[in-house]
Amino acid sequence: MPELPEVETLRHDLDKEVGGRRVKVVEVRAARIVRRHRNRKDFAVRLVGHKLGPASRLGTLLLLGLDAEDRAALVVDLGAGGRLLKERSAAPVDRHTDAVLTFTVGGDLRALDLGEAGELFVAGEPELDELAEERRGAVDPLADALTWQAFNAKLESRQEGLRALLTDPSFAAGIGPVYADEVLWGSELRWDRPSGSLAAQEVRRLHRAIQEVMQEAVRLRGTSVGDNPWLDLRGNKGEYEPHLNAYQREGQPCRRCRTPLVRERAERGETTYYCPKCQS
Ligand SMILES: [Zn+2]
């Protein structure tokens, strides 16, 4: 499942490998993924003939600028398990493929497994402003120069368990099950600590852990775990897995205190992994 470090890895690679390429053909294989448009053709005509520009990010949304007069962008929402793949045009098309953008030179960009939540659309400037406005309240762990004082005020304004808060997209962008557990382990805090109960020192630890964990995960190009692991633009796995300190490590010794980690049912039926001794 792509969380923020995986999305940022894709953004970086898209910028390098897709930026500057001109779209020749757009094939939408699943109509639901372009549901903001009247139909598939309406989506395609916004792209064909245009060069994809620099890649940016709005929280977990990926934006590829277009060389169009209205400063529009192709927006990619990967949903729960979507992928983007840069392929040779001659490569066989996987049956999970939802859309294929073929460039005039240099292969295809393919979107796979967007599921029910994922989508592609071309947005003009007003719509992009609206999308930015909707996300203004959420912390971007990679982009914000967020002071711990401001972070503290945000925490105190909410009264929730820390894990529920961290994974709430209206609080922070792109912290899912993997990085929530890692951030909490890094800050020595339990998943169910009420957000308003933290001492100043604990807020500082949490604030620091969010940035450190997310930045390190970007440096190592994300986490690929499980049967259907996340893959980057070239189909390669991320390298963060050996650095996981909590996620899916139940029964293994805590790397700080050697106590076996436990797994527990957390909010919304999700599973959390933590150290019952040094996280409090
Ligand atoms: Zn421990």
Side-chain angles (χ1 to χ4, degrees):
M1 175 180 288
E3 299 180 30
L4 199 62
E6 290 78 44
V7 176
E8 175 59 18
T9 299
L10 280 174
R11 187 208 61 74
H12 175 266
D13 291 359
L14 283 169
D15 206 47
K16 215 170 65 184
E17 302 201 25
V18 170
R21 297 194 190 275
R22 194 178 296 280
V23 180
K24 190 166 95 182
V25 181
V26 175
E27 183 200 355
V28 177
R29 297 161 70 96
R32 69 168 188 288
I33 66 152
V34 294
R35 55 190 171 272
R36 293 202 196 208
H37 293 267
R38 275 196 306 277
N39 50 46
R40 300 179 210 210
K41 191 171 170 234
D42 176 62
F43 171 73
V45 297
R46 301 284 303 269
L47 291 172
V48 171
H50 290 294
K51 258 188 202 170
L52 297 183
S56 57
R57 214 170 37 71
L58 207 50
T60 54
L61 292 181
L62 284 164
L63 272 53
L64 278 158
L66 294 172
D67 65 342
E69 279 178 12
D70 61 353
R71 302 176 64 177
L74 169 63
V75 182
V76 182
D77 184 338
L78 293 167
R83 291 206 284 129
L84 293 176
L85 191 61
K86 177 78 169 34
E87 263 293 12
R88 290 173 302 113
S89 299
V93 177
D94 185 290
R95 67 186 173 85
H96 296 282
T97 306
D98 292 316
V100 180
L101 274 60
T102 303
F103 301 116
T104 50
V105 179
D108 290 353
L109 175 65
R110 302 181 184 181
L112 297 90
D113 287 321
L114 292 179
E116 292 304 315
E119 60 175 329
L120 303 178
F121 57 97
V122 177
E125 224 177 356
E127 203 179 348
L128 292 171
D129 289 344
E130 230 169 83
L131 291 169
E133 186 59 40
E134 285 167 18
R135 284 159 182 77
R136 202 174 298 283
V139 175
D140 188 313
L142 293 171
D144 286 352
L146 183 73
T147 64
W148 78 269
Q149 291 93 337
F151 182 69
N152 188 36
K154 249 180 108 55
L155 275 178
E156 282 182 337
S157 72
R158 304 273 291 256
Q159 283 298 336
E160 280 169 79
L162 283 179
R163 192 177 182 284
L165 189 65
L166 289 174
T167 55
D168 180 345
S170 74
F171 179 78
I175 303 182
V178 175
Y179 298 109
D181 283 359
E182 294 306 304
V183 163
L184 290 168
W185 186 90
S187 48
E188 300 174 45
L189 293 165
R190 263 181 72 108
W191 66 274
D192 53 358
R193 266 292 289 282
S195 56
S197 74
L198 268 52
Q201 205 54 37
E202 293 175 319
V203 176
R204 282 179 197 266
R205 284 206 311 254
L206 181 60
H207 179 247
R208 195 169 51 228
I210 289 174
Q211 295 173 49
E212 284 177 357
V213 166
M214 299 304 252
Q215 283 166 13
E216 183 68 355
V218 170
R219 198 178 68 76
L220 293 167
R221 303 183 56 79
T223 304
S224 303
V225 286
D227 297 335
N228 190 18
W230 177 80
L231 301 172
D232 69 14
L233 197 61
R234 289 285 182 187
N236 298 315
K237 289 184 173 184
E239 291 163 9
Y240 193 71
E241 186 182 357
H243 300 264
L244 293 174
N245 289 310
Y247 185 73
Q248 292 191 346
R249 293 194 70 240
E250 82 269 27
Q252 298 183 52
C254 171
R255 294 199 174 116
R256 257 190 315 254
C257 74
R258 314 308 295 166
T259 304
L261 300 188
V262 295
R263 73 181 259 174
E264 205 164 288
R265 186 58 60 90
E267 71 286 342
R268 300 186 299 268
E270 289 182 5
T271 303
T272 184
Y273 304 85
Y274 68 99
C275 175
K277 185 164 179 218
C278 63
Q279 287 178 252
S280 60

